[in-house]
Amino acid sequence: MKKQIIVFSFLFLFLSCAKKEKIETFPFDDFVFAGEALHSVFCIKFTKSDTVYYQRIFPKPIATSYAVINLEEKIKLSRLLRETNFEKFDTIYANQTVEDAQAYLINISNQGKRKSIYLYAREAPKELDRFIKSLGEIKKRLHFVPTNKRVDFGDLKSILPPPPPPMPVRNIN
């Protein structure tokens, strides 16, 4: 009986010390990616949890949904975010001579610090272009489910279309 206890103890100790895969945590508190084109406006929010939020802003009605990201996708996303040094990028990349072009907005929040990067008319460094394409691939693999939950996507003013002009007021005499 003593030999069995010793063998099991040794086996337990050996298995406990086996190298475990290190899963790095999500590098930001919030990461919001928004896109705007001629016929659509959307935003997607990644957080430290396994929930990803998506909101279609245009065409109306506004619709919010969520997806649960699996461990493999979360590891890919975390690696992608860690490998991209957002601090080195400017806050605006825009070609003002182009009208009605596609625009993107990246909003990052981490430990009270915020960074925004606005991209318009394909005026972005190649590294950011690759990053945006990778986010699109991750988004395509997620299955979003509608929700009524109110989600704060942060400041999206630079990507949202301007409000329509006010209706003319007619005087009744």
Side-chain angles (χ1 to χ4, degrees):
M1 181 74 170
K2 273 186 171 180
K3 286 184 181 180
Q4 288 176 333
I5 292 174
I6 292 172
V7 169
F8 282 125
S9 297
F10 179 72
L11 199 62
F12 178 73
L13 183 63
F14 178 72
L15 291 175
S16 297
C17 294
K19 184 179 178 182
K20 296 180 182 176
E21 181 181 340
K22 182 181 177 189
I23 298 173
E24 294 182 13
T25 59
F26 194 71
F28 304 112
D29 294 333
D30 288 328
F31 182 90
V32 176
F33 173 70
E36 183 260 335
L38 192 58
H39 299 290
S40 68
V41 178
F42 72 91
C43 53
I44 188 166
K45 180 178 184 175
F46 299 94
T47 62
K48 288 187 178 277
S49 75
D50 59 354
T51 306
V52 177
Y53 296 99
Y54 176 82
Q55 188 174 65
R56 184 192 72 229
I57 300 169
F58 183 80
K60 300 272 184 182
I62 294 174
T64 304
S65 54
Y66 74 95
V68 177
I69 192 167
N70 66 36
L71 183 60
E72 182 182 324
E73 288 293 333
K74 190 165 186 167
I75 291 170
K76 285 180 188 176
L77 177 65
S78 184
R79 188 177 306 125
L80 178 66
L81 292 171
R82 287 182 189 285
E83 290 172 354
T84 307
N85 180 5
F86 295 101
E87 290 301 316
K88 74 178 184 180
F89 296 114
D90 290 335
T91 56
I92 297 175
Y93 294 94
N95 182 344
Q96 299 299 337
T97 62
V98 178
E99 291 185 25
D100 295 332
Q102 199 163 24
Y104 296 107
L105 176 66
I106 298 171
N107 281 335
I108 302 164
S109 172
N110 195 31
Q111 299 175 349
K113 296 178 185 175
R114 297 189 183 282
K115 168 90 180 193
S116 290
I117 302 171
Y118 177 75
L119 308 128
Y120 179 74
R122 296 273 183 206
E123 288 293 319
K126 289 182 182 182
E127 185 179 356
L128 275 178
D129 269 341
R130 283 191 301 271
F131 174 79
I132 289 169
K133 287 177 184 165
S134 297
L135 279 183
E137 291 168 8
I138 290 171
K139 178 187 163 280
K140 284 179 189 176
R141 291 190 292 264
L142 296 174
H143 175 71
F144 288 94
V145 177
T147 183
N148 290 327
K149 181 177 180 177
R150 293 177 86 62
V151 180
D152 181 13
F153 288 92
D155 182 10
L156 301 173
K157 282 183 249 171
S158 60
I159 201 119
L160 295 176
M167 297 293 286
V169 178
R170 293 179 21 192
N171 289 334
I172 301 174
N173 292 332

